[in-house]
Amino acid sequence: ISPGTGGSARVDCSSGELVTGGGFQGTENVQVYTNLPLNDHAWIVVGVNESPDTNGDLLAYALCEGPFP
């Protein structure tokens, strides 16, 4: 995420799987404001890089269960 801007990270479960949880990992200059399921099959994280001069990283992860037909 560029300095002073917002960004998001999304991860989808494989076909037929349901998201049962999730989370994120990011650099210390990224403030996370949203960390939740987007729907039954995806997780989303939204944050803002509060640094004026350093890029930030944001990675979402999902815990998926299934497959369910």
Side-chain angles (χ1 to χ4, degrees), residues 3 5 9 18 22 25 29 33-34 41 44 54 56-58 63 66 68:
T5 64
L18 297 175
Q25 183 175 1
N29 52 321
Y33 291 99
T34 302
H41 308 283
I44 191 164
T54 304
D57 294 320
L58 184 60
L63 302 174
F68 298 100

Side-chain angles (χ1 to χ4, degrees), residues 18-35:
L18 297 175
V19 68
T20 59
F24 67 93
Q25 183 175 1
T27 50
E28 66 181 41
N29 52 321
V30 175
Q31 177 67 44
V32 171
Y33 291 99
T34 302
N35 176 39

Side-chain angles (χ1 to χ4, degrees), residues 38-66:
L38 179 63
N39 54 42
D40 287 344
H41 308 283
W43 196 269
I44 191 164
V45 181
V46 179
V48 173
N49 182 354
E50 296 182 337
S51 172
D53 57 8
T54 304
N55 285 335
D57 294 320
L58 184 60
L59 172 72
Y61 65 86
L63 302 174
C64 303
E65 189 176 314

